[in-house]
Amino acid sequence: MAKITVKQEEALSIKFSHQMQVGDQRVLDLYFYLPTEMGIDSHTLDEEEYYYAAIVGRRSYYSQGLHLPLVQSRFASIKKRTMDEFRLYLNLFAYQFAVAIETDAKALRQITDANEFYPALADLGELVAQLLKKFRRNEPSEAKWKHYFENADNYLSWFCEQQLLKTLSHGPRSADYSDVSEQIISLCRSEYQYREEEKRYNSTQTRQDANRISNKMLLLRRLIQQGVVLKEELKSLGAGLKKTVTGTVTAIVMVLVSALIIKAQGVFSELTIALVLIVAVIYGFREIFKEDMRNVVWRYIQRGRPKWSRILRDTSTQAIIAKQLVWLEFMRAKDMPAAVVDIMKQRHSQNKIDAQVLHYRISTRVTQHEFQAGYTQIQEQVNFSLVPFARYLERGQAKIYKETEGKISHDSVERRYQINLVVVLREGKGETEYARYKVTMNRSSIIEITQSDLPDNIPAIGD
């Protein structure tokens, strides 16, 4: 598995994911090269607002075998385990099962060719059926354990049904693969009967109300995340420094205003309308320049500093698993690392256009203490929504005309933009590694994400 994976998540979002082990120290930089013609810069996009509204992360314990073909039952000898070990392995398996089918189903929904989509869907349905059967084969008989198993079983049955139905409804239409559609629908029906008629996990009122069943399943998902998904404590940095900057700028502006008022009083010895107007103008300029000066000074002082800190805790033991620092800012050309500049120089001449660079950095230090039994790695997945970028893009389509045997026809073409993404990885004192991706998008969706070659002297991010 690659150290870093970058791929499309939804129509207008990108997800990167990576895994870390005990004692790892990792710095990950992402440089988004946004073409100037997109109209996105520090004046139109507030970094803090973008961070809170469009960047969503999920950090959890991780075990090899994320995708369905590789998922293994982590509790085959479950009767030999204690209650805590049972819940730990149950939650780990159930959570990874859910993440695996969600990941593979999303990838499957990106396929538009029916000849490729339906065989893959059939394989997915078969794997889901096999893994659910393997999961249920280890159902405990003890009442104190059975409750936890039933919660996970109820959720996985419902979630698999929902993902398969959603994938089938979004797939390309083809009468040639009606047997595959019937196979998937039959599996979903059997899961519904198993869940609602055989096991009676949910009441009639819950089944008949979409809101109630959805909220119940959200609750069950939170229960299986217990002990697997890490608790996050996010703190905004620089609050005290910002207050100091605000106070200092205000004091400087007040000194200048006071000096101007004293000067004006020296010119006008008596209280006149002219003096009042001049003082009003002085106070007006004070309000204008105070805010601008504060923003300029604050950006200068904050440049290069982390904006947030995050502590990751085990939800069961409350032990600190990792500490992180996060940066997000628009960078100046002269502050760009030389290797990143060299990577971008390799572009074709027609692609060398002016761009604003949005820089995201996350520095992680993982604890030196061992994780809970059964866990060897933690995984971080971060989604970047491009919706705030898309709102600045041009609407509409143009037409390209052509002549064929005296007849004139036209094709509609859409306005597309290309974002270059350079990923930089530094692990401890090891060699810095790089990767470059091209993200082609329009106003409504990402068209494709492709990885580009690097200069020969630049080390690429490996496996």
Side-chain angles (χ1 to χ4, degrees):
M1 179 179 289
K3 292 180 181 178
I4 306 291
T5 59
V6 177
K7 61 181 182 179
Q8 181 178 353
E9 180 68 359
E10 298 291 348
L12 275 170
S13 68
I14 298 173
K15 179 175 75 175
F16 83 82
S17 60
H18 61 125
Q19 294 80 41
M20 294 171 285
Q21 299 179 342
V22 172
D24 278 358
Q25 298 181 31
R26 175 174 290 185
V27 178
L28 185 63
D29 292 277
L30 282 77
Y31 297 91
F32 292 88
Y33 277 75
L34 308 174
T36 304
E37 61 181 342
M38 293 178 71
I40 304 170
D41 55 28
S42 58
H43 300 292
T44 59
L45 182 71
D46 183 87
E47 296 99 316
E48 291 194 15
E49 290 181 3
Y50 179 75
Y51 179 80
Y52 288 114
I55 301 179
V56 179
R58 178 169 59 186
R59 295 144 190 102
S60 64
Y61 286 116
Y62 177 82
S63 181
Q64 292 294 336
L66 175 62
H67 292 289
L68 289 178
L70 302 177
V71 171
Q72 302 295 323
S73 174
R74 297 299 303 272
F75 46 92
S77 57
I78 203 157
K79 293 183 179 179
K80 300 179 182 179
R81 304 190 187 279
T82 65
M83 170 69 79
D84 290 339
E85 289 176 326
F86 168 74
R87 290 194 65 186
L88 184 149
Y89 283 103
L90 174 72
N91 287 355
L92 176 61
F93 179 83
Y95 176 77
Q96 284 206 205
F97 191 173
V99 171
I101 186 175
E102 187 176 28
T103 300
D104 286 0
K106 283 181 178 178
L108 191 53
R109 290 194 288 270
Q110 300 296 324
I111 300 175
T112 57
D113 183 4
N115 294 326
E116 183 181 354
F117 174 83
Y118 282 97
L121 179 61
D123 292 341
L124 180 63
E126 186 176 342
L127 286 165
V128 167
Q130 291 176 356
L131 285 167
L132 285 173
K133 186 180 296 184
K134 182 184 294 186
F135 174 71
R136 289 160 185 164
R137 195 180 298 144
N138 295 295
E139 180 177 358
S141 56
E142 294 84 350
K144 62 180 180 180
W145 292 6
K146 202 166 185 177
H147 174 68
Y148 300 114
F149 177 88
E150 289 176 347
N151 284 338
D153 189 31
N154 188 12
Y155 176 76
L156 291 178
S157 174
W158 178 85
F159 187 73
C160 290
E161 175 194 329
Q162 291 297 307
Q163 289 297 313
L164 290 173
L165 290 176
K166 180 178 180 180
T167 302
L168 183 60
S169 68
H170 284 77
R173 299 290 182 263
S174 175
D176 297 335
Y177 293 97
S178 58
D179 56 330
V180 176
S181 299
E182 286 298 325
Q183 176 187 335
I184 297 300
I185 291 174
S186 176
L187 173 59
C188 293
R189 284 173 180 167
S190 66
E191 282 304 310
Y192 180 86
Q193 293 172 354
Y194 167 84
R195 188 174 66 249
E196 309 300 354
E197 298 177 11
E198 181 180 340
K199 292 296 185 179
R200 296 185 180 277
Y201 284 146
N202 308 298
S203 66
T204 303
Q205 294 86 346
T206 301
R207 293 198 305 269
Q208 294 176 348
D209 188 333
N211 289 315
R212 292 183 67 171
I213 192 67
S214 177
N215 288 329
K216 180 175 181 178
M217 293 305 166
L218 286 174
L219 176 60
L220 292 182
R221 176 143 184 158
R222 292 192 198 103
L223 291 177
I224 68 171
Q225 289 177 350
Q226 183 70 24
V228 180
V229 176
L230 302 176
K231 178 183 178 182
E232 301 181 14
E233 299 175 3
L234 185 67
K235 180 182 178 182
S236 182
L237 301 178
L241 181 60
K242 191 171 186 178
K243 290 178 181 178
T244 302
V245 169
T246 301
T248 303
V249 170
T250 301
I252 293 173
V253 171
M254 284 304 299
V255 169
L256 295 175
V257 168
S258 299
L260 290 173
I261 291 175
I262 293 172
K263 185 71 173 177
Q265 288 177 333
V267 175
F268 300 92
S269 57
E270 297 180 358
L271 182 62
T272 62
I273 294 178
L275 177 60
V276 172
L277 290 175
I278 290 175
V279 171
V281 170
I282 291 173
Y283 273 100
F285 277 104
R286 185 201 68 167
E287 293 302 317
I288 295 173
F289 290 110
K290 183 180 71 172
E291 190 69 20
D292 291 342
M293 185 181 294
R294 185 187 68 82
N295 291 336
V296 169
V297 174
W298 175 239
R299 278 194 170 274
Y300 177 80
I301 293 177
Q302 196 185 34
R303 185 177 297 130
R305 294 175 178 266
K307 291 187 176 180
W308 298 274
S309 67
R310 182 186 293 113
I311 295 177
L312 305 178
R313 294 184 183 272
D314 185 295
T315 54
S316 300
T317 64
Q318 299 302 312
I320 295 177
I321 301 302
K323 294 182 178 180
Q324 296 182 319
L325 293 175
V326 183
W327 289 254
L328 183 66
E329 60 183 348
F330 282 96
M331 292 194 68
R332 300 176 298 181
K334 64 180 182 181
D335 295 330
M336 296 297 298
V340 175
V341 174
D342 290 341
I343 290 173
M344 295 304 294
K345 283 181 179 178
Q346 187 172 275
R347 293 174 295 170
H348 294 296
S349 58
Q350 68 267 24
N351 294 328
K352 292 182 179 180
I353 58 178
D354 292 336
Q356 297 290 325
V357 182
L358 182 63
H359 173 224
Y360 174 87
R361 170 183 288 180
I362 185 163
S363 174
T364 307
R365 183 186 298 270
V366 184
T367 180
Q368 297 287 347
H369 302 291
E370 294 294 329
F371 302 149
Q372 288 196 54
Y375 297 138
T376 59
Q377 294 177 306
I378 59 174
Q379 182 183 60
E380 179 175 43
Q381 297 176 305
V382 181
N383 287 2
F384 289 84
S385 173
L386 303 187
V387 173
F389 300 164
R391 69 167 60 105
Y392 295 102
L393 307 186
E394 294 181 3
R395 293 179 179 272
Q397 294 181 332
K399 290 181 173 61
I400 299 296
Y401 293 87
K402 60 182 178 182
E403 179 271 330
T404 305
E405 297 180 355
K407 295 182 179 180
I408 299 176
S409 60
H410 68 266
D411 295 319
S412 297
V413 295
E414 60 188 1
R415 182 72 172 92
R416 292 183 176 183
Y417 300 83
Q418 187 179 95
I419 298 174
N420 281 278
L421 170 61
V422 179
V423 181
V424 183
L425 174 66
R426 292 189 296 279
E427 294 187 282
K429 297 181 179 178
E431 183 180 37
T432 303
E433 299 174 313
Y434 302 83
R436 177 188 160 211
Y437 298 86
K438 291 186 293 186
V439 181
T440 305
M441 64 176 292
N442 57 26
R443 188 178 174 86
S444 59
S445 66
I446 294 173
I447 308 301
E448 63 176 354
I449 299 177
T450 57
Q451 188 168 359
S452 302
D453 295 331
L454 300 178
D456 294 336
N457 62 325
I458 301 292
I461 296 176
D463 297 335

